[in-house]
Amino acid sequence: MSGKIAFLGLGAMGFGMATNLIKKPFHVTGFDVYAPTLARFTAAGGHASSTPKETVLDAQYVIFMVATAAQILSALFDDTTGAIHNLEKGAIVILSSTGPPEHVPLVRKLLDEKYNRRDIELVDAPVSGGTIRAANGTLTILAAGPESALEKAKPVLDAMAGENLYIIPGGLGAGTNVKMVHQVLAGIHIAMTSEAMGFVAALGLDTKLAFEILRKGRGSSWMFENRTPHMLVEDRTVYSALNIIVKDIGIVTAGGRSASFPLFLSSTTEQILASGVSSGLGLIDDSALVQIYLPQSPLAVLKLASSSSSSATPLSPNDPKLLLVEKIMAGVHLAAAAEAMSLGVRVGLEPKKLFEIIATAAGSSVMFVEGATQLLSGVWKEGGSVDDVVKELTEAVEEAHKLKYPLHLTGTALQLFQLAKLKGLGKEPGIAVSRVWDGADGPLFPRAQV
């Protein structure tokens, strides 16, 4: 075969991934349903085609980066325009779109049983990292599948990930499971960024100064540092549409239901995101989610993003109101770490490998690193007690009540820590909230004997 790449799906992430491959350099033929995107791709040095069937002609590698699992099935298996009709013998098909864990095994089954294409090498390879890392070839890629397929796909995977390629044991679907757990944190953190910055504005604080302080504190996360700057300037660029994380969190909650596993914060996040979509924000950058927290003044975060603003209160790192915000961020992120790591164990992932991946990816946070480290070691020492977190979150919820400001995730996290307290864990470190997810078979994360 030629070594050529067919790339299907040139959205915000896919465009950067495909143009990065051109620079490596590979011969890349792209397909997208949006004609202006194809024109941009051609201008960047790529080759364009009008159907998936045409795109894969003479291609050794076929990468899918479309929006949904259903779009993969259509692009691959459509009776008229599907790629299946022109796939080269022994082609390496790389599925990088985020879908449910059962999706990749389904594609394998269809290739084998319906189309008799057992020659096709299939790789489960969801990605994370955002548009900038897509364009410079440093995405986190979670690759799983047969050893032969992974070996043959490695030149392209390396070109897209650099040092951030992780080989996930467990076969097809294992990479998608890791991505699902990662998106627990990514989704919660995106929503929490809006909840926190909306609270900052509702408290009348300078949002720009608040961001600079909060990003250095215990409540910070990758998503907080990435999304908040977009709230503080007048910029309508869509870096990641709200609909994308809506889809991903839907996969997470469906996975929880399938595993009969409660996902408290993920479910709350799903409802917050649904409110954003129903308010018309689905196609807008997900940083605009903050507007649903401030319906009477949706631009308050932007307007208060200046220390010279006459309506903003002067700010210091020890401001009691700002400390309230930091504490709700830390509390929610700690509970989110427990929820995500517990789900990972439930779906059969190796927790140390899961931590290694997430700690350097877009789902990371200060509290994730602190909390997950304690879960893995079995030594619970860091941070305040469950009682302390209950007190801190209660104080914030009561202050928000006075302002008539919604703290959806904070309220859910408070319930989780209160459940831990009811289990007699009030004096234990905050990570004891993880015991909420323990079942009849014993603790998911046993404590070390010290």
Side-chain angles (χ1 to χ4, degrees), residues 334-335 338 380 386 413 416-418 420 425 429-437:
L334 182 59
W380 299 357
V386 168
L416 288 169
F417 284 100
Q418 287 175 328
L425 300 167
I431 194 58
V433 71
S434 62
R435 287 290 182 255
V436 169
W437 286 274

Side-chain angles (χ1 to χ4, degrees), residues 195-251:
E195 183 161 307
M197 289 307 297
F199 196 26
V200 168
L203 290 166
L205 304 176
D206 184 311
T207 51
K208 185 176 182 180
L209 290 180
F211 168 65
E212 293 300 331
I213 294 169
L214 292 170
R215 66 191 291 264
K216 300 173 184 176
R218 283 169 56 79
S220 191
S221 70
W222 190 97
M223 287 297 182
F224 180 75
E225 293 197 54
N226 181 265
R227 285 345 193 232
T228 306
H230 204 193
M231 300 179 187
L232 303 176
V233 295
E234 291 190 61
D235 177 10
R236 297 187 179 183
T237 303
V238 179
Y239 296 103
S240 185
L242 184 64
N243 279 338
I244 295 174
I245 194 63
V246 168
K247 181 232 359 176
D248 289 359
I249 284 293
I251 292 170

Side-chain angles (χ1 to χ4, degrees), residues 71-409:
Q71 289 178 4
I72 289 179
L73 294 178
S74 176
L76 188 51
F77 298 122
D78 183 87
D79 289 341
T80 303
T81 62
I84 188 67
H85 306 297
N86 271 344
L87 279 177
E88 294 290 315
K89 184 175 177 59
I92 300 105
V93 175
I94 301 170
L95 303 184
S96 290
S97 305
T98 301
E102 65 272 15
H103 172 68
V104 183
L106 172 62
V107 172
R108 180 75 269 172
K109 183 177 181 179
L110 289 170
L111 286 169
D112 292 351
E113 298 180 7
K114 184 174 181 179
Y115 295 95
N116 195 28
R117 293 301 305 268
R118 290 174 176 81
D119 60 292
I120 300 298
E121 300 279 12
L122 188 63
V123 177
D124 174 20
V127 302
S128 177
T131 56
I132 294 175
R133 288 175 59 187
N136 63 26
T138 58
L139 283 172
T140 296
I141 297 185
L142 312 169
E147 186 176 344
S148 62
L150 291 168
E151 184 63 31
K152 292 173 182 176
K154 198 170 186 301
V156 172
L157 296 174
D158 283 340
M160 296 190 292
E163 298 179 354
N164 302 310
L165 173 62
Y166 294 90
I167 304 301
I168 311 299
L172 294 174
T176 299
N177 263 332
V178 174
K179 178 64 185 288
M180 178 178 71
V181 174
H182 176 273
Q183 293 309 91
V184 169
L185 293 158
I188 293 169
H189 294 171
I190 286 171
M192 191 59 205
T193 294
S194 285
E195 183 161 307
M197 289 307 297
F199 196 26
V200 168
L203 290 166
L205 304 176
D206 184 311
T207 51
K208 185 176 182 180
L209 290 180
F211 168 65
E212 293 300 331
I213 294 169
L214 292 170
R215 66 191 291 264
K216 300 173 184 176
R218 283 169 56 79
S220 191
S221 70
W222 190 97
M223 287 297 182
F224 180 75
E225 293 197 54
N226 181 265
R227 285 345 193 232
T228 306
H230 204 193
M231 300 179 187
L232 303 176
V233 295
E234 291 190 61
D235 177 10
R236 297 187 179 183
T237 303
V238 179
Y239 296 103
S240 185
L242 184 64
N243 279 338
I244 295 174
I245 194 63
V246 168
K247 181 232 359 176
D248 289 359
I249 284 293
I251 292 170
V252 168
T253 55
R257 291 190 295 273
S258 177
S260 298
F261 196 76
L263 298 174
F264 305 93
L265 289 166
S266 299
S267 296
T268 298
T269 297
E270 184 173 39
Q271 299 309 310
I272 295 168
L273 298 176
S275 296
V277 172
S278 66
S279 298
L281 303 177
L283 298 176
I284 299 175
D285 191 81
D286 59 32
S287 63
L289 185 65
V290 70
Q291 295 178 23
I292 71 165
Y293 283 91
L294 300 162
Q296 302 302 316
S297 51
L299 299 180
V301 172
L302 175 63
K303 291 178 180 178
L304 290 171
S306 169
S307 58
S308 63
S309 172
S310 60
S311 58
T313 303
L315 196 59
S316 74
N318 296 317
D319 187 293
K321 292 181 178 179
L322 187 61
L323 290 175
L324 274 184
V325 180
E326 182 179 62
K327 289 172 181 176
I328 67 170
M329 293 170 70
V332 169
H333 292 166
L334 182 59
E339 181 164 302
M341 291 298 290
S342 297
L343 176 62
V345 172
R346 182 57 178 262
V347 299
L349 297 174
E350 203 287 307
K352 289 184 179 179
K353 185 71 170 181
L354 185 63
F355 170 76
E356 176 190 349
I357 293 167
I358 294 176
T360 58
S364 190
S365 71
V366 173
M367 298 310 295
F368 173 78
V369 173
E370 179 180 301
T373 299
Q374 293 179 78
L375 290 176
L376 294 173
S377 69
V379 180
W380 299 357
K381 290 183 178 180
E382 300 296 324
S385 68
V386 168
D387 283 343
D388 292 335
V389 180
V390 168
K391 181 180 177 182
E392 292 166 357
L393 298 185
T394 298
E395 182 183 1
V397 167
E398 291 177 350
E399 180 64 26
H401 180 72
K402 296 174 188 176
L403 299 170
K404 301 294 185 271
Y405 180 81
L407 288 178
H408 303 296
L409 286 165

